Amino acid sequence: MRKSIIISLFAGCLVILFFTLTSMIKVFSSDLNEPVMMAEQHNSYRLVLITQELDTPFWAKVERGARKAADEYGASMEVWGTYGSNRDDFLKNMEVAIASKVDGIIVQGLDTDEFKYLTKVKAAGSGIPIITVANDVPMNESLRRTYVGSNHLEAGSMIARQLVSDMGFAGQVVLMVSDRQEDFQRSRLTGILDVLRPYTKIETKIVAAGDSREEVADATNQLLNEEPDADAFIAVSAKHAGSIIQEISKRMQVDEFYIYSFDDSPETLTLMQQGQIDALIAQSPETMGEESVTHMIKWLTGEQVPLNPDGYFTDIRVLRAEDAQ
């Protein structure tokens, strides 16, 4: 009997020792494997950058910055886009990305009800974070996590201050905008008007044109007929600058006007080097791409929660004609 008890106690001790050793091995294995798991964590993130202007130099730089940051973090980066601002295809890309359950979407903001529905209902409902880049959509309307890009309100203020410095405190200024204004255009316009408002002898005229070169040319031609005494033009949408200058040049000398724009694209830089644009706002698209991926990764890992709802502004500066020579 006594021998049986001793054997039972011994067996029990062996069982306890077994489970103790097993638990210790699991703990140490977990500690040893944790850095490997953390290192591999970013590799599992699938990010998508979506734009409706894939064929522009500006967005090529955004893509370059985004891919660079994704490579540094070891994340997967896909770039989807459309050519010629095809909004239907752009929205379809958004739907596909959401349906594919990607980990994060970095997207050019589009101020439409369809876009806001996709971000606010479908993406949010699927738990997919959205970061807008370059062009923003208000957070309360889109539920995007943050915005990365230029401070367009300040950009408008900067170009208006440059105009006043060049033209003086009196004159007629034409502000050329799109028929359908995005959030970035409204912000630029607000910044311009806020600066010019105190100058009572500066008259502003807002002219709405379409997005095509032909529509902008027609609007410019009509404006020149109605307001032959205009002194300055500001292309609130950068892609309008070339059409405005082309139409003016058919009727008079371009250097008779003060002309301003946004975005240092190859076209606007060439026009500036030719002395046809007095100044423009240069942006930082590659930085936008890098920082948007960085903030997305930091949100996904929990390193940066929440993200700044007001956004992260990248560098802007006034580039004058003499700087581009």
Side-chain angles (χ1 to χ4, degrees), residues 175-207:
L175 308 175
M176 189 72 77
V177 300
S178 297
D179 287 332
R180 188 186 184 94
Q181 290 184 45
E182 299 289 339
D183 180 76
F184 76 93
Q185 283 196 54
R186 291 195 297 271
S187 296
R188 288 174 180 174
L189 192 59
T190 298
I192 293 168
L193 294 174
D194 285 348
V195 169
L196 298 183
R197 191 172 292 113
Y199 300 99
T200 56
K201 293 184 179 181
I202 294 181
E203 178 186 350
T204 57
K205 183 177 180 65
I206 300 172
V207 177

Short mmCIF file of all heavy atoms in Angstrom, two decimals, residues 175-207:
data_model
loop_
_atom_site.label_atom_id
_atom_site.label_comp_id
_atom_site.label_asym_id
_atom_site.label_seq_id
_atom_site.Cartn_x
_atom_site.Cartn_y
_atom_site.Cartn_z
N LEU A 175 -10.61 85.30 -61.25
CA LEU A 175 -10.34 84.02 -60.59
C LEU A 175 -11.06 82.93 -61.38
O LEU A 175 -12.29 82.83 -61.36
CB LEU A 175 -10.84 84.05 -59.14
CG LEU A 175 -10.35 85.23 -58.30
CD1 LEU A 175 -11.00 85.21 -56.92
CD2 LEU A 175 -8.84 85.23 -58.18
N MET A 176 -10.29 82.12 -62.10
CA MET A 176 -10.88 81.07 -62.94
C MET A 176 -11.00 79.77 -62.16
O MET A 176 -10.01 79.23 -61.66
CB MET A 176 -10.00 80.85 -64.17
CG MET A 176 -10.62 79.95 -65.23
SD MET A 176 -11.97 80.74 -66.13
CE MET A 176 -11.05 81.81 -67.24
N VAL A 177 -12.24 79.29 -62.01
CA VAL A 177 -12.50 78.07 -61.24
C VAL A 177 -13.25 77.07 -62.12
O VAL A 177 -13.73 77.41 -63.21
CB VAL A 177 -13.34 78.38 -59.98
CG1 VAL A 177 -12.62 79.35 -59.06
CG2 VAL A 177 -14.72 78.93 -60.36
N SER A 178 -13.36 75.84 -61.65
CA SER A 178 -14.12 74.82 -62.35
C SER A 178 -15.61 74.96 -62.04
O SER A 178 -15.99 75.51 -61.00
CB SER A 178 -13.66 73.42 -61.93
OG SER A 178 -12.32 73.21 -62.30
N ASP A 179 -16.44 74.47 -62.96
CA ASP A 179 -17.89 74.47 -62.70
C ASP A 179 -18.19 73.69 -61.42
O ASP A 179 -19.02 74.11 -60.62
CB ASP A 179 -18.64 73.81 -63.87
CG ASP A 179 -18.66 74.71 -65.10
OD1 ASP A 179 -18.59 75.94 -64.93
OD2 ASP A 179 -18.71 74.18 -66.21
N ARG A 180 -17.53 72.56 -61.27
CA ARG A 180 -17.73 71.71 -60.10
C ARG A 180 -16.49 71.82 -59.23
O ARG A 180 -15.46 71.20 -59.50
CB ARG A 180 -17.95 70.26 -60.52
CG ARG A 180 -18.35 69.35 -59.37
CD ARG A 180 -18.40 67.90 -59.83
NE ARG A 180 -18.85 67.06 -58.77
CZ ARG A 180 -20.12 66.68 -58.59
NH1 ARG A 180 -21.04 67.08 -59.43
NH2 ARG A 180 -20.46 65.90 -57.59
N GLN A 181 -16.58 72.62 -58.20
CA GLN A 181 -15.41 72.88 -57.37
C GLN A 181 -15.21 71.78 -56.33
O GLN A 181 -16.14 71.40 -55.63
CB GLN A 181 -15.56 74.23 -56.66
CG GLN A 181 -15.46 75.42 -57.58
CD GLN A 181 -15.51 76.72 -56.81
OE1 GLN A 181 -14.84 76.86 -55.78
NE2 GLN A 181 -16.33 77.65 -57.28
N GLU A 182 -13.97 71.32 -56.24
CA GLU A 182 -13.59 70.38 -55.20
C GLU A 182 -13.25 71.16 -53.93
O GLU A 182 -13.12 72.39 -53.94
CB GLU A 182 -12.38 69.56 -55.64
CG GLU A 182 -12.62 68.72 -56.89
CD GLU A 182 -13.55 67.55 -56.64
OE1 GLU A 182 -13.71 67.14 -55.48
OE2 GLU A 182 -14.13 67.05 -57.63
N ASP A 183 -13.05 70.45 -52.83
CA ASP A 183 -12.73 71.08 -51.56
C ASP A 183 -11.45 71.91 -51.67
O ASP A 183 -11.36 73.01 -51.12
CB ASP A 183 -12.57 70.00 -50.48
CG ASP A 183 -12.24 70.59 -49.11
OD1 ASP A 183 -13.14 71.14 -48.47
OD2 ASP A 183 -11.06 70.50 -48.71
N PHE A 184 -10.45 71.42 -52.41
CA PHE A 184 -9.18 72.15 -52.50
C PHE A 184 -9.36 73.47 -53.25
O PHE A 184 -8.73 74.47 -52.92
CB PHE A 184 -8.09 71.29 -53.15
CG PHE A 184 -8.21 71.13 -54.65
CD1 PHE A 184 -7.53 71.99 -55.50
CD2 PHE A 184 -8.97 70.11 -55.20
CE1 PHE A 184 -7.62 71.85 -56.88
CE2 PHE A 184 -9.07 69.97 -56.58
CZ PHE A 184 -8.39 70.84 -57.42
N GLN A 185 -10.25 73.49 -54.25
CA GLN A 185 -10.49 74.73 -54.97
C GLN A 185 -11.22 75.75 -54.10
O GLN A 185 -10.89 76.94 -54.12
CB GLN A 185 -11.31 74.47 -56.24
CG GLN A 185 -10.52 73.87 -57.38
CD GLN A 185 -11.26 74.00 -58.70
OE1 GLN A 185 -11.66 75.08 -59.10
NE2 GLN A 185 -11.43 72.88 -59.39
N ARG A 186 -12.19 75.29 -53.35
CA ARG A 186 -12.91 76.20 -52.45
C ARG A 186 -11.97 76.78 -51.41
O ARG A 186 -12.06 77.97 -51.06
CB ARG A 186 -14.08 75.47 -51.77
CG ARG A 186 -15.21 75.11 -52.71
CD ARG A 186 -16.46 74.73 -51.95
NE ARG A 186 -16.26 73.54 -51.14
CZ ARG A 186 -16.47 72.30 -51.57
NH1 ARG A 186 -16.87 72.10 -52.82
NH2 ARG A 186 -16.28 71.26 -50.78
N SER A 187 -11.06 75.95 -50.90
CA SER A 187 -10.10 76.44 -49.90
C SER A 187 -9.15 77.47 -50.51
O SER A 187 -8.88 78.51 -49.90
CB SER A 187 -9.29 75.26 -49.33
OG SER A 187 -10.13 74.37 -48.62
N ARG A 188 -8.64 77.20 -51.71
CA ARG A 188 -7.77 78.16 -52.38
C ARG A 188 -8.50 79.48 -52.61
O ARG A 188 -7.95 80.56 -52.37
CB ARG A 188 -7.29 77.60 -53.73
CG ARG A 188 -6.28 76.48 -53.62
CD ARG A 188 -5.98 75.91 -55.01
NE ARG A 188 -5.00 74.82 -54.93
CZ ARG A 188 -4.63 74.07 -55.97
NH1 ARG A 188 -5.18 74.30 -57.16
NH2 ARG A 188 -3.75 73.10 -55.82
N LEU A 189 -9.72 79.38 -53.09
CA LEU A 189 -10.51 80.58 -53.38
C LEU A 189 -10.74 81.40 -52.12
O LEU A 189 -10.62 82.63 -52.13
CB LEU A 189 -11.84 80.17 -54.01
CG LEU A 189 -12.69 81.27 -54.64
CD1 LEU A 189 -11.93 81.98 -55.75
CD2 LEU A 189 -14.01 80.68 -55.17
N THR A 190 -11.06 80.72 -51.02
CA THR A 190 -11.27 81.42 -49.75
C THR A 190 -10.00 82.14 -49.32
O THR A 190 -10.04 83.29 -48.88
CB THR A 190 -11.69 80.42 -48.65
OG1 THR A 190 -12.93 79.81 -49.03
CG2 THR A 190 -11.87 81.11 -47.31
N GLY A 191 -8.85 81.47 -49.45
CA GLY A 191 -7.58 82.09 -49.08
C GLY A 191 -7.28 83.32 -49.91
O GLY A 191 -6.81 84.35 -49.39
N ILE A 192 -7.56 83.25 -51.21
CA ILE A 192 -7.32 84.39 -52.10
C ILE A 192 -8.21 85.57 -51.71
O ILE A 192 -7.74 86.70 -51.55
CB ILE A 192 -7.59 83.99 -53.57
CG1 ILE A 192 -6.56 82.96 -54.03
CG2 ILE A 192 -7.57 85.22 -54.47
CD1 ILE A 192 -6.91 82.29 -55.36
N LEU A 193 -9.50 85.30 -51.55
CA LEU A 193 -10.45 86.37 -51.26
C LEU A 193 -10.20 87.00 -49.89
O LEU A 193 -10.37 88.21 -49.73
CB LEU A 193 -11.88 85.83 -51.35
CG LEU A 193 -12.33 85.38 -52.75
CD1 LEU A 193 -13.71 84.74 -52.69
CD2 LEU A 193 -12.35 86.56 -53.71
N ASP A 194 -9.79 86.20 -48.93
CA ASP A 194 -9.50 86.74 -47.59
C ASP A 194 -8.37 87.76 -47.63
O ASP A 194 -8.40 88.76 -46.91
CB ASP A 194 -9.14 85.60 -46.62
CG ASP A 194 -10.36 84.80 -46.17
OD1 ASP A 194 -11.49 85.26 -46.43
OD2 ASP A 194 -10.17 83.72 -45.58
N VAL A 195 -7.37 87.50 -48.47
CA VAL A 195 -6.24 88.42 -48.58
C VAL A 195 -6.63 89.68 -49.37
O VAL A 195 -6.26 90.80 -49.01
CB VAL A 195 -5.03 87.73 -49.25
CG1 VAL A 195 -3.95 88.75 -49.61
CG2 VAL A 195 -4.45 86.67 -48.31
N LEU A 196 -7.39 89.51 -50.45
CA LEU A 196 -7.71 90.63 -51.34
C LEU A 196 -8.83 91.52 -50.80
O LEU A 196 -8.92 92.70 -51.19
CB LEU A 196 -8.08 90.12 -52.73
CG LEU A 196 -7.00 89.34 -53.49
CD1 LEU A 196 -7.50 88.98 -54.88
CD2 LEU A 196 -5.70 90.14 -53.58
N ARG A 197 -9.67 90.99 -49.94
CA ARG A 197 -10.85 91.73 -49.47
C ARG A 197 -10.52 93.11 -48.89
O ARG A 197 -11.23 94.09 -49.17
CB ARG A 197 -11.63 90.88 -48.47
CG ARG A 197 -13.01 91.45 -48.13
CD ARG A 197 -13.82 90.48 -47.28
NE ARG A 197 -14.17 89.30 -48.07
CZ ARG A 197 -13.70 88.09 -47.85
NH1 ARG A 197 -12.81 87.88 -46.88
NH2 ARG A 197 -14.07 87.07 -48.60
N PRO A 198 -9.49 93.26 -48.08
CA PRO A 198 -9.22 94.58 -47.49
C PRO A 198 -8.80 95.64 -48.51
O PRO A 198 -8.86 96.83 -48.22
CB PRO A 198 -8.08 94.30 -46.50
CG PRO A 198 -8.15 92.83 -46.22
CD PRO A 198 -8.60 92.23 -47.51
N TYR A 199 -8.38 95.21 -49.70
CA TYR A 199 -7.94 96.18 -50.71
C TYR A 199 -9.15 96.60 -51.54
O TYR A 199 -9.54 95.93 -52.50
CB TYR A 199 -6.85 95.55 -51.59
CG TYR A 199 -5.62 95.12 -50.82
CD1 TYR A 199 -5.44 93.79 -50.44
CD2 TYR A 199 -4.66 96.05 -50.45
CE1 TYR A 199 -4.32 93.40 -49.73
CE2 TYR A 199 -3.53 95.67 -49.74
CZ TYR A 199 -3.37 94.34 -49.37
OH TYR A 199 -2.28 93.96 -48.66
N THR A 200 -9.72 97.72 -51.18
CA THR A 200 -11.00 98.14 -51.77
C THR A 200 -10.88 98.49 -53.25
O THR A 200 -11.89 98.51 -53.97
CB THR A 200 -11.55 99.35 -51.01
OG1 THR A 200 -10.57 100.41 -51.00
CG2 THR A 200 -11.88 98.98 -49.57
N LYS A 201 -9.68 98.75 -53.73
CA LYS A 201 -9.50 99.10 -55.14
C LYS A 201 -9.13 97.89 -56.00
O LYS A 201 -8.88 98.03 -57.20
CB LYS A 201 -8.45 100.19 -55.28
CG LYS A 201 -8.89 101.53 -54.69
CD LYS A 201 -7.86 102.61 -54.95
CE LYS A 201 -8.32 103.96 -54.37
NZ LYS A 201 -7.33 105.04 -54.62
N ILE A 202 -9.09 96.73 -55.38
CA ILE A 202 -8.89 95.49 -56.15
C ILE A 202 -10.25 94.83 -56.33
O ILE A 202 -10.92 94.47 -55.36
CB ILE A 202 -7.92 94.53 -55.45
CG1 ILE A 202 -6.51 95.12 -55.42
CG2 ILE A 202 -7.90 93.18 -56.19
CD1 ILE A 202 -5.47 94.23 -54.77
N GLU A 203 -10.66 94.70 -57.58
CA GLU A 203 -11.94 94.09 -57.91
C GLU A 203 -11.71 92.64 -58.35
O GLU A 203 -10.84 92.38 -59.18
CB GLU A 203 -12.63 94.87 -59.03
CG GLU A 203 -13.95 94.28 -59.46
CD GLU A 203 -14.53 94.99 -60.68
OE1 GLU A 203 -13.97 96.06 -61.06
OE2 GLU A 203 -15.50 94.47 -61.26
N THR A 204 -12.48 91.73 -57.77
CA THR A 204 -12.34 90.32 -58.15
C THR A 204 -13.58 89.86 -58.91
O THR A 204 -14.70 90.25 -58.59
CB THR A 204 -12.15 89.42 -56.91
OG1 THR A 204 -13.25 89.60 -56.02
CG2 THR A 204 -10.86 89.75 -56.19
N LYS A 205 -13.34 89.02 -59.89
CA LYS A 205 -14.43 88.44 -60.68
C LYS A 205 -14.18 86.94 -60.78
O LYS A 205 -13.12 86.51 -61.27
CB LYS A 205 -14.50 89.05 -62.08
CG LYS A 205 -15.68 88.54 -62.92
CD LYS A 205 -15.73 89.23 -64.26
CE LYS A 205 -16.91 88.73 -65.11
NZ LYS A 205 -18.22 89.07 -64.50
N ILE A 206 -15.13 86.16 -60.28
CA ILE A 206 -15.01 84.71 -60.32
C ILE A 206 -15.68 84.18 -61.59
O ILE A 206 -16.86 84.47 -61.85
CB ILE A 206 -15.65 84.06 -59.08
CG1 ILE A 206 -14.96 84.58 -57.80
CG2 ILE A 206 -15.56 82.55 -59.15
CD1 ILE A 206 -15.63 84.15 -56.52
N VAL A 207 -14.93 83.44 -62.38
CA VAL A 207 -15.44 82.89 -63.64
C VAL A 207 -15.39 81.37 -63.57
O VAL A 207 -14.32 80.79 -63.33
CB VAL A 207 -14.62 83.40 -64.85
CG1 VAL A 207 -15.12 82.75 -66.13
CG2 VAL A 207 -14.69 84.91 -64.94
#
